Amino acid sequence: GENVEQHPSTLSVQEGDSAVIKCTYSDSASNYFPWYKQELGKRPQLIIDIRSNVGEKKDQRIAVTLNKTAKHFSLHITETQPEDSAVYFCAASWVNTGNQFYFGTGTSLTVIP
Amino acid sequence: DAGITQSPRHKVTETGTPVTLRCHQTENHRYMYWYRQDPGHGLRLIHYSYGVKDTDKGEVSDGYSVSRSKTEDFLLTLESATSSQTSVYFCALRDSTSYEQYFGPGTRLTVT
């Protein structure tokens, strides 16, 4: 099956700086890569996703990039704010079959005011 | 929140007792999932369903069973709870058109 690895496990940045979280996957058949943000005591919330026919996607201060050849994808947060502090999870799946999602182990991001 | 709810939200039970967690959706999506979340392990899939009475195992299915007799309800049962099943359990569904996955609010289960 698919194996998703996520780095780093913890990340601290100064407010206003950028944060980058990286994930790798093993199965070249994976074609859908979502990112989730989970605040303490809350459910994971989808913040951005990318499909394998696209190399980059942006939504305001967040962006995701995908390198299919190297089998890795990254989350970029610019101009970080204290409310960006949370645990972020990456995942990999197959759009067409709609079955399993495979998650990374999470990155705890702390934005220091 | 994609019309997905879980019950109960919190439960404390004793080792050896059966426990059933319920996930309910209001939007008629085909795919539903049960995950457990533990520190250092992220989200791990227990079971998932791709339709009424159609279910399959995930990576941590031992000790758990599921049932889906109606599209809107997906039940997770711990036949005989153990302390290692103390966790936060999340139900999720996959939107049938966008393929995006949405999570329920979670159930915190403590087995003493």
Side-chain angles (χ1 to χ4, degrees):
Chain A
E2 175 65 278
N3 181 47
V4 177
E5 295 189 355
Q6 182 172 348
H7 300 280
S9 58
T10 59
L11 180 60
S12 292
V13 299
Q14 291 292 134
E15 182 177 359
D17 288 350
S18 294
V20 181
I21 302 170
K22 299 181 179 181
C23 288
T24 61
Y25 61 100
S26 60
D27 191 341
S28 57
S30 293
N31 59 7
Y32 176 65
F33 306 93
W35 285 90
Y36 291 84
K37 175 183 180 182
Q38 187 178 27
E39 297 175 346
L40 191 62
K42 305 290 187 180
R43 73 186 81 187
Q45 297 268 19
L46 178 67
I47 57 171
I48 196 168
D49 57 15
I50 193 167
R51 300 194 181 191
S52 59
N53 59 348
V54 175
E56 182 176 6
K57 184 177 179 180
K58 290 183 179 180
D59 183 2
Q60 300 182 342
R61 295 186 298 107
I62 61 173
V64 57
T65 59
L66 171 65
N67 183 325
K68 289 187 294 182
T69 302
K71 297 198 190 71
H72 67 71
F73 56 111
S74 300
L75 178 71
H76 304 254
I77 306 173
T78 59
E79 301 173 15
T80 54
Q81 302 168 3
E83 51 265 40
D84 294 329
S85 295
V87 178
Y88 292 81
F89 292 97
C90 63
S93 184
W94 305 276
V95 167
N96 294 334
T97 57
N99 51 13
Q100 298 193 39
F101 283 75
Y102 295 88
F103 284 84
T105 51
T107 296
S108 178
L109 174 63
T110 301
V111 180
I112 304 165
Chain B
D1 293 327
I4 183 166
T5 58
Q6 292 183 232
S7 60
R9 295 293 313 282
H10 301 271
K11 187 169 182 67
V12 180
T13 192
E14 294 183 349
T15 298
T17 59
V19 177
T20 295
L21 309 183
R22 179 179 183 243
C23 179
H24 179 78
Q25 61 151 324
T26 59
E27 300 185 2
N28 209 37
H29 294 296
R30 180 180 173 193
Y31 290 94
M32 298 184 76
Y33 308 80
W34 276 108
Y35 294 92
R36 61 177 290 173
Q37 185 173 40
D38 306 287
H41 292 280
L43 291 151
R44 292 183 292 175
L45 182 66
I46 305 171
H47 283 278
Y48 65 100
S49 170
Y50 44 96
V52 173
K53 297 185 180 179
D54 291 324
T55 65
D56 207 347
K57 296 179 180 180
E59 66 174 307
V60 291
S61 60
D62 287 348
Y64 302 95
S65 62
V66 291
S67 65
R68 193 166 179 202
S69 58
K70 299 184 291 183
T71 300
E72 58 265 36
D73 289 325
F74 191 31
L75 304 181
L76 177 71
T77 298
L78 291 66
E79 300 290 347
S80 178
T82 68
S83 58
S84 63
Q85 294 177 311
T86 292
S87 187
V88 177
Y89 291 86
F90 285 101
C91 175
L93 59 80
R94 189 166 200 169
D95 188 289
S96 302
T97 53
S98 71
Y99 296 99
E100 296 168 356
Q101 188 176 66
Y102 296 97
F103 286 84
T107 295
R108 183 172 296 277
L109 176 68
T110 302
V111 183
T112 61

